[in-house]
Amino acid sequence: MRQPELRQDTVEGRWVLISPGRAMRPMPHDEPFLTDEGACPFCEGNEQATPPEKVAWRLPHSPADGPGWRARIVPNRYPAVVQTAIPLSGPQVAAVGTHEVVVECPGHRASSVGLGAAHWHGLMRLARDRVAGMSGDPAHGWVQLFKNAGGAAGASLLHAHMQILSVPVVPHRVESMLERARDLGHCPVCRMVEWERSEKTRMVAEEGGLVAFCPFASGFPHEVWICPVGHQSHWETTPEATLQKMADLLWRVLARLEERLGLFPHNLVWQGAPRHHPLAGHGHWMVRVLPRLNGIAGFEWGTGMLINTVPPEEAAGMLAD
Ligand SMILES: [Zn+2]
Ligand SMILES: [Zn+2]
């Protein structure tokens, strides 16, 4: 495919411009991924440099806030929200929520993928438990688990980490996806999965009731979605076996991307539905892997239309076994 195409993402209704012939600018991953100087607050042995941990995956008998952990969750030192606030009147809402960091591994490394699938199982279990504990409380309008890896993806520290950030309102994007599914009268993700499974040209893997594929209207080069084949609204309350399969597939996709691209800037985004929302049943959870090899610039901000230089059929060919 050399001719540019416009493709519509049926989950959000947005258009994407797939433009493989567009001259590629130097790839960001040719530049240093991220460098940092001085003591890293996320390294084992430097636990005192972070606020006290909320929860951790620890070796037996290792004390909190000391060495002996595999992954830990700590409050963000520079939170975007506050835990308690004075009430406001008017159109604004006090930004009450929780902002935490999930430190993925004790050693100073930019990616924890090299630690293997078993590490990712434990890591995802830790993050899942934390998110599930928060999303069960209606005070959190939405709880977002995400990862920024590399400066181009918004990270400021090299050491591999994810973040959990909750807000007291349901974000417009989350709400509009639920409304769109309601208005369509069917789940667009279920339908898309069914279509991708029959097309086969963008599939990466299917296992244990989950699929990984490069979506037809990928907005980013090498974008991958991982989601259940059957309709499920909340990733954080999915059965343990499904959670483990999600961790496994995600790890495999990231490992394959790293193998092909080297350390690459990317975002990971977990989406689904707020558990207390009246339209929650319309949500279909997924993990989106968003490599950030192209910038988001003026055209994209003006139109909401992303330009993707790698057709998903090519991306899937590179990722599939
Ligand atoms: Zn470190
Ligand atoms: Zn569905």
Side-chain angles (χ1 to χ4, degrees):
M1 177 189 136
R2 301 308 291 173
Q3 174 179 295
E5 283 180 13
L6 287 168
R7 295 184 177 185
Q8 192 176 23
D9 168 4
T10 51
V11 176
E12 293 194 68
R14 71 189 166 95
W15 289 89
V16 163
L17 176 49
I18 312 261
S19 186
R22 190 165 185 264
M24 295 281 282
R25 284 161 297 202
M27 299 286 269
H29 66 271
D30 288 339
E31 298 161 13
F33 179 76
L34 255 188
T35 51
D36 53 15
E37 306 292 332
C40 170
F42 295 163
C43 277
E44 186 171 32
N46 294 348
E47 290 80 8
Q48 302 311 316
T50 66
E53 67 196 34
K54 291 292 180 183
V55 61
W57 171 21
R58 287 194 156 279
L59 303 178
H61 313 300
S62 66
D65 298 313
W69 49 277
R70 308 289 302 278
R72 63 196 292 257
I73 300 182
V74 299
N76 193 305
R77 278 192 301 180
Y78 308 101
V81 291
V82 289
Q83 297 254 289
T84 51
I86 45 169
L88 299 171
S89 59
Q92 68 273 49
V93 174
V96 177
T98 301
H99 193 175
E100 295 175 348
V101 176
V102 183
V103 184
E104 293 178 27
C105 51
H108 191 65
R109 41 169 74 219
S111 166
S112 66
V113 167
L115 297 176
H119 186 86
W120 273 66
H121 289 171
L123 176 61
M124 285 289 93
R125 193 180 292 124
L126 183 75
R128 183 272 316 273
D129 289 348
R130 189 70 184 150
V131 170
M134 287 163 65
S135 69
D137 174 357
H140 299 282
W142 178 243
V143 183
Q144 183 68 56
L145 173 66
F146 63 100
K147 177 178 169 84
N148 303 335
S156 53
L157 287 173
L158 176 144
H159 194 130
H161 64 286
M162 300 176 185
Q163 297 180 61
I164 300 170
L165 175 51
S166 79
V167 286
V169 298
V170 179
H172 174 74
R173 180 170 175 269
V174 173
E175 182 118 36
S176 69
M177 280 194 284
L178 299 176
E179 286 170 357
R180 182 173 167 83
R182 176 199 60 195
D183 297 346
L184 285 169
H186 65 259
C187 170
V189 180
C190 281
R191 197 156 290 188
M192 185 185 288
V193 166
E194 193 183 321
W195 185 64
E196 295 289 7
R197 288 170 86 208
S198 67
E199 288 263 309
K200 296 189 174 65
T201 52
R202 287 170 295 272
M203 290 297 285
V204 174
E206 174 164 359
E207 227 178 87
L210 292 180
V211 279
F213 61 97
C214 297
F216 172 70
S218 293
F220 297 89
H222 311 290
E223 177 171 347
V224 179
W225 292 6
I226 297 168
C227 68
V229 173
H231 188 77
Q232 283 184 17
S233 299
H234 312 284
W235 72 273
E236 72 273 31
T237 57
T238 196
E240 184 66 23
T242 311
L243 189 275
Q244 294 302 302
K245 190 48 67 184
M246 180 272 277
D248 198 46
L249 273 179
L250 179 57
W251 174 79
R252 277 165 49 193
V253 164
L254 293 172
R256 185 60 62 92
L257 283 167
E258 253 184 47
E259 200 181 295
R260 299 288 197 269
L261 303 171
L263 277 179
F264 65 105
H266 62 278
N267 297 113
L268 300 181
V269 177
W270 279 259
Q271 61 187 51
R275 283 163 65 190
H276 300 277
H277 196 283
L279 299 178
H282 291 282
H284 190 134
W285 73 260
M286 67 171 69
V287 189
R288 297 176 68 190
V289 180
L290 307 173
R292 299 296 305 278
L293 306 175
N294 294 152
I296 294 178
F299 177 79
E300 290 84 344
W301 288 120
T303 59
M305 199 183 275
L306 296 169
I307 301 178
N308 177 6
T309 50
V310 180
E313 295 76 18
E314 269 178 38
M318 193 189 88
L319 287 169
D321 290 323

